[in-house]
């Protein structure tokens, strides 16, 4: 990625990871970027670094703007190694004694990631650092995305460096929202759904806090993807909407199948939901990546999960997805289970237990059909689909 001056004397010096396709279990089918920002002021300041394997490229990028040795301060907004992995190489280049400003938890966490005893300067929530013409303000944002996370705000220019928040796993030629256009929002939603959804209540509190503070935002610079400069309130509003998880008249029928019997049930449920005016999608777990499904889950009002019984348990893809979804703590869903079985038929009960553990409004006992369903047996699938359709809100929110 060629460095870009995003505001006077503030440069995007991060890198594009064009070919990453799996980011710890998240399908990054358009790659990602690790954004780092260089502020050339009386004290030259670098905000965040990049993944370890891109550290040389980061230093090259910095060098096109300024001699890296002239960096006075490093700000670490987040310890996760896609943003801190380049620190050893960077510190070696700029001088191991240069101060690293981070949250108190960042200090603790960085110390557990790297053995070097760097010159850490832990900062408090709300504390400020003058770098010359500009003042940086630090805001703790615990759990967005790790306990150490913080934002850095530059009053002069109203620029927020937001770490993981408002990011997208997207590598493209564009650097800004006005260049990317509407196509960036599905990437932002997918990022939210798979990285931040479980912290939705904290996001709403943080946005309330920022609103109460009257923080003006002319530019929001995340550590992944494009920068929001056209109207940053648009992505903030989307975060509020996604965090609230108000259910839409939308249902997901998520299943796997062995001999197409559970699939026949899935088709009957999906078709009936559509007949009832529900925006329903049929999702075969071996055709969809779990992270794509989670993006759909955010605003779905109903989650209907089907599995055949195999070896007295769930089909492995169904277990995988339920575990993943449970960890991300989606809220406000109606749910039920279905599945074909041969002789023991535990799958529906096992799914039901998982859906209840997620605090969904579960319709019990779900639908179990032995071996191959005929039209008469499939009527039970149609009936539960109609029941769900009646419980869903009448119109999209
Ligand atoms: Fe992009 Fe939580 O790291």
């Amino acid at each position: 990625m060629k460095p870009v001056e995003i505001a006077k004397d503030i440069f995007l010096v991060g890198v594009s990871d064009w070919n990453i396709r799996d980011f710890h279990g998240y399908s990054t089918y358009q790659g990602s970027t690790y954004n780092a920002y260089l502020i050339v002021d009386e004290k030259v300041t670098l905000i965040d670094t990049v993944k370890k394997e891109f550290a040389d490229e980061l230093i090259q990028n910095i060098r096109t703007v300024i001699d890296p040795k002239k960096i006075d301060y490093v700000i670490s907004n987040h310890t996760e190694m896609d943003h801190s992995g380049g620190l050893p190489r960077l510190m070696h280049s700029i001088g191991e004694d240069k101060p690293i400003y981070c949250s108190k938890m960042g200090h603790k966490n960085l110390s557990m990631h790297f053995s070097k005893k760097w010159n850490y300067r832990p900062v408090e929530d709300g504390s400020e650092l003058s770098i010359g013409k500009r003042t940086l303000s630090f805001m703790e944002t615990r759990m967005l995305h790790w306990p150490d996370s913080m934002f850095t705000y530059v009053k002069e220019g109203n620029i927020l460096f937001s770490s993981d928040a408002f990011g997208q796993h997207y590598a493209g030629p564009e650097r800004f929202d006005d260049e990317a256009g509407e196509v960036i929002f599905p990437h932002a939603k997918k990022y939210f759904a798979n990285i931040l959804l479980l912290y939705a209540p904290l996001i709403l509190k943080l946005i309330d806090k920022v609103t109460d503070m009257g923080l003006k935002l002319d530019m929001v610079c995340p550590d992944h993807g494009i920068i929001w400069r056209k109207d940053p309130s648009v992505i903030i509003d989307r975060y509020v909407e996604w965090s609230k998880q108000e259910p839409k008249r939308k249902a997901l029928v998520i299943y796997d199948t062995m001999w197409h019997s559970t699939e026949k049930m899935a088709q009957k449920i999906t078709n009936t939901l559509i007949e009832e005016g529900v925006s329903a999608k049929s999702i075969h777990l071996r055709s969809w990546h779990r992270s794509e499904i989670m993006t759909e889950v955010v605003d779905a009002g109903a989650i209907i999960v089907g599995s055949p019984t195999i070896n007295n348990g769930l089909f492995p893809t169904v277990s995988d997805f339920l575990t993943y979804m449970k960890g991300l703590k989606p809220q406000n869903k109606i749910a039920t289970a279905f599945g074909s079985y041969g002789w023991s038929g535990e799958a529906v009960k096992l799914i039901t237990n998982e859906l209840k553990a997620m605090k969904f409004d579960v319709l019990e006992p779900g639908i179990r059909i032995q071996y191959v369903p005929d039209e008469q047996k499939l009527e039970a699938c149609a009936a539960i689909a109609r029941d769900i359709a009646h419980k869903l809100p009448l119109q999209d929110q």
Side-chain angles (χ1 to χ4, degrees), residues 23 78 80 82-83 145-146 164 191 195 224:
F23 194 95
H78 181 22
E80 194 166 10
D82 45 335
H83 311 296
H145 156 236
W146 276 11
D164 278 336
Y191 188 92
I195 305 283
H224 299 286

Side-chain angles (χ1 to χ4, degrees), residues 125 139-140 204-214:
D125 181 43
M139 188 188 302
E140 277 190 10
L204 289 171
K205 272 190 195 162
L206 176 69
I207 291 174
D208 277 349
K209 180 179 162 183
V210 168
T211 307
D212 289 348
M213 287 165 68

Side-chain angles (χ1 to χ4, degrees), residues 236-392:
I236 310 259
D237 290 348
R238 297 280 176 112
Y239 263 52
V240 171
E241 178 196 330
W242 297 331
S243 297
K244 285 183 177 168
Q245 297 178 74
E246 284 170 358
K248 291 190 174 176
R249 193 167 175 78
K250 170 179 170 180
L252 307 179
V253 183
I254 302 165
Y255 70 98
D256 209 327
T257 194
M258 290 169 69
W259 295 104
H260 303 292
S261 292
T262 301
E263 186 162 62
K264 285 192 173 102
M265 298 173 77
Q267 284 165 351
K268 188 70 177 184
I269 293 167
T270 308
N271 291 340
T272 308
L273 284 164
I274 291 169
E275 283 163 21
E276 294 291 322
V278 175
S279 172
K281 287 188 178 175
S282 177
I283 294 177
H284 188 307
L285 279 160
R286 275 177 284 162
S287 299
W288 285 59
H289 193 276
R290 63 173 91 79
S291 55
E292 298 292 341
I293 304 172
M294 271 317 298
T295 313
E296 296 286 346
V297 165
V298 171
D299 52 7
I303 307 291
I304 303 143
V305 181
S307 175
T309 296
I310 179 168
N311 304 329
N312 304 113
L314 292 175
F315 203 83
T317 52
V318 179
S319 300
D320 173 282
F321 179 70
L322 287 171
T323 301
Y324 189 67
M325 178 165 70
K326 190 171 162 184
L328 287 162
K329 294 188 169 61
Q331 297 173 0
N332 308 329
K333 316 291 180 201
I334 301 164
T336 197
F338 65 96
S340 158
Y341 67 100
W343 48 98
S344 57
E346 289 91 340
V348 168
K349 183 71 186 163
L350 291 168
I351 294 169
T352 299
N353 290 345
E354 288 297 300
L355 297 173
K356 284 163 81 174
M358 288 179 237
K359 300 192 170 53
F360 290 169
D361 177 8
V362 181
L363 277 60
E364 293 190 76
I367 311 287
R368 294 162 79 240
I369 295 179
Q370 194 167 19
Y371 292 117
V372 180
D374 58 21
E375 270 309 312
Q376 195 185 350
K377 285 178 182 160
L378 284 173
E379 193 41 48
C381 295
I384 206 160
R386 283 194 288 271
D387 198 3
I388 288 167
H390 291 148
K391 288 174 185 293
L392 285 170

Side-chain angles (χ1 to χ4, degrees), residues 23-24 32-34 78-83 144-146 148-149 163-164 169 191 195-196 223-224:
F23 194 95
H24 52 51
S32 191
T33 70
Y34 314 117
H78 181 22
T79 302
E80 194 166 10
M81 290 209 277
D82 45 335
H83 311 296
L144 303 176
H145 156 236
W146 276 11
D148 51 72
S149 296
S163 186
D164 278 336
H169 281 311
Y191 188 92
I195 305 283
L196 298 171
D223 274 358
H224 299 286

